[in-house]
Each structure stands twice: as structure tokens, then as C-alpha cells.
Amino acid sequence: MRVVVAGSSGLIGTALVAKLRHDGDEVLRLVRREPQAPDERRWDPPSGTLQEGTLDGVDAVVNLCGAGVADRRWTQARKQMLLDSRVEPTEVLAAAVAEAGVPVLLNGSAVGYYGTIPAGPADEDEPAGRGFLAELCVRWEAATAAAAAAGARVVLARTAQVLSPSGGLLGPLRPLFSLGLGGKLGSGRQYLPWIHLDDEVDALVFLLREDISGPVNLVGPSPATNAEFTRAFGRARNRPALFRVPKVALQVALGEFAEEILRSQHVVPRVLQDHGFAFRHDTVDDALAALEQR
């Protein structure tokens, strides 16, 4: 395949590009500066432009653009940036896909779409929830409309918290657990959707090749509560996980984002399982143990 990837320098994008090239696919990476390598093509979302010929002969476009949700405290300006860094680039890519007749648009999204799920398990038929992240995901996914209207196969990859040896959810947790300060957040009873980076990338490649469209939950097949996740991480690190971070402390430290990380999201990957996708890591214990062995 000939694949164009936007957001190729992030955690997921870097791993996806490597996987596609390992499989023998050709990858072109979109950059917002002057290209410095043969595989780079320039684009400018604010002006709605892509370097001429970028989508010629392309089989699929993968859009993983977006500023980090948990990187900074949510001010109004930061929330606007989170929206702008997703919605505008997606609209530009969807319009370009429609104009060039690219057959597939694989677009990033998140399980934040569902908001709080009071009763689970929930699959891709679950309606959108409430809260900023849910609203962001709704607008993000809606920005693909031009591609769908033109007949492209549009996939909305609703990704859970990614477990990786080099970032993702575990980045800020490892130092705490190394010091013996790890613990559950709030009550710990809320479900925490997770997926190992290997399975995330495998699933994205699977979705590029299979005839699947619409929303797809990229989440591990064995849901875990925050308390179960915490105990599993403690076992993987051979460290105690005795502490509990109370809700009020999270609110003081994180502001509005604290409400998001305390939401319970009992999400399952029905579409992937229905189409025969095989996870490498079926449980959170297996996923975390595999990461600690690297």
C-alpha cells in the first residue's frame, strides 16, 4: 500500500510508520515545515493546502493529529487548542481525500467519545456522552464528513489509554511506582480502558486492510478497573501500590481534567473481535508484564 500519515511523529504515529514499512508498504509523512527527507510532504492546515501531488496514487490516509490531552492544565485557551489541532486538520484531510479520490481515511478518535458509562460493557453502538472530551470527539469525527460523502471508506479509531515503554499512560506513573508511591485514583472502582501499543498499531494496520468502516474501539479485550490496573502495574514493577489519590487532590492538581480521568468507561472492542482481530495482549497483567520485560 501507499499510505500518507499525518501525526507521524507522535507515539502511535512513529510506531505505525515503522510497522507499515516493515510490512513492505510505502509511507509518506505530512510535515508542517519544509520537507527534509524524501518521504516528507508539506501541508498547512490553516490555509487548507497540501504539497502538490501528495495524494497521487495513495491507497489510504491516516490522520493521527492532535495536541496532547493530558500534557497541560485545561485553560480555555488550551481546550480551544485541543479542538483546533484536531478538527481543522481533519477537515483539510477529508476534503483532500474527497478531491483526490483516495479510497480510505483512517481517522483518530478516542474512547472519550462515550463520556461516563454508568453500566457496561459498551460497544461501538453506545451514544456520545457528555463532557469536554466527548464533545471534542464528536466534532473530530464529524470533520471527516467530506471524505465519507465522496465515497471513501472512513474508519473512526476510538483509542483507549495506550500502554507503551516510552510514553502514553505509563510515562507519568513509572516514577511514582518506582518510589513506592503508586496507587489508585479516587475510589478505584471506575473502569480504565487500555490498549498495548503493539495491539494499537496492529489494529490500525488491520483496519487499513479490512473492509471495515465507522467507529471502532481500540481497547484491550479484558476491561479493568483503576484499582485492578494499579495492582497489576505494582506487580509488574515489583512495587507496592498501597496509596490512594483522593478526588479532591486530583481536582486541585488537574482542574477540569480530573473529572475526565475519574470517569468510568467499561468499553469493549466488539467490531475488532467480530472481524477476527487477534490481540497479542489479552489482559492488563499480560500487557504490563510484557512492557516491563523490554
Side-chain angles (χ1 to χ4, degrees):
M1 298 177 67
R2 182 179 174 91
V3 184
V4 168
V5 179
S8 64
S9 61
L11 175 70
I12 298 171
T14 299
L16 176 63
V17 169
K19 171 65 173 173
L20 288 170
R21 287 179 172 160
H22 179 269
D23 290 350
D25 298 305
E26 179 185 359
V27 181
L28 300 176
R29 298 180 296 120
L30 294 183
V31 297
R32 305 192 191 199
R33 50 169 170 73
E34 286 297 322
Q36 299 174 355
D39 68 336
E40 294 182 345
R41 300 293 185 272
R42 187 173 185 179
W43 73 316
D44 181 41
S47 67
T49 59
L50 277 77
Q51 183 176 327
E52 187 176 355
T54 295
L55 299 187
D56 291 351
V58 166
D59 298 295
V61 171
V62 180
N63 176 27
L64 301 173
C65 289
V69 170
D71 292 357
R72 301 180 190 175
R73 194 179 180 91
W74 284 3
T75 62
Q76 284 302 120
R78 182 62 181 176
K79 288 164 72 174
Q80 190 62 51
M81 178 179 289
L82 294 176
L83 278 167
D84 292 344
S85 66
R86 286 165 171 79
V87 175
E88 183 179 63
T90 301
E91 289 174 339
V92 171
L93 286 176
V97 163
E99 183 176 356
V102 177
V104 179
L105 172 61
L106 175 51
N107 204 75
S109 186
V111 294
Y113 174 94
Y114 302 111
T116 299
I117 302 173
D123 61 21
E124 289 83 357
D125 291 333
E126 185 77 11
R130 296 181 179 180
F132 173 71
L133 283 185
E135 296 169 4
L136 181 152
C137 290
V138 168
R139 293 181 59 182
W140 192 4
E141 294 183 3
T144 64
R153 178 171 67 86
V154 176
V155 187
L156 306 170
R158 294 176 180 166
T159 294
Q161 295 280 359
V162 176
L163 308 183
S164 162
S166 58
L169 175 64
L170 301 184
L173 295 183
R174 277 199 176 88
L176 293 175
F177 276 79
S178 295
L179 295 171
L181 299 177
K184 62 185 180 182
L185 304 180
S187 71
R189 293 190 297 270
Q190 71 275 21
Y191 277 90
L192 174 67
W194 61 272
I195 187 168
H196 192 288
L197 180 61
D198 290 345
D199 286 322
E200 170 77 11
V201 171
D202 285 352
L204 290 172
V205 174
F206 183 82
L207 293 170
L208 283 174
R209 306 196 191 286
E210 296 293 319
D211 187 17
I212 300 170
S213 60
V216 182
N217 293 335
L218 272 59
V219 58
S222 301
T225 65
N226 179 267
E228 290 167 342
F229 179 90
T230 298
R231 289 193 294 269
F233 194 36
R235 287 191 293 269
R237 299 284 291 173
N238 196 25
R239 292 289 189 274
L242 304 176
F243 290 86
R244 181 177 76 88
V245 182
K247 179 178 179 179
V248 64
L250 288 169
Q251 290 172 327
V252 170
L254 302 176
E256 185 180 349
F257 184 58
E259 298 296 326
E260 298 290 348
I261 64 174
L262 290 172
R263 294 184 186 276
S264 184
Q265 294 191 312
H266 189 174
V267 182
V268 294
R270 177 183 58 80
V271 171
L272 284 176
Q273 291 178 317
D274 285 352
H275 285 82
F277 177 75
F279 286 88
R280 295 198 221 178
H281 306 285
D282 289 334
T283 68
V284 70
D285 274 287
D286 175 44
L288 292 169
L291 289 171
E292 292 306 312
Q293 291 170 6
R294 293 188 176 182

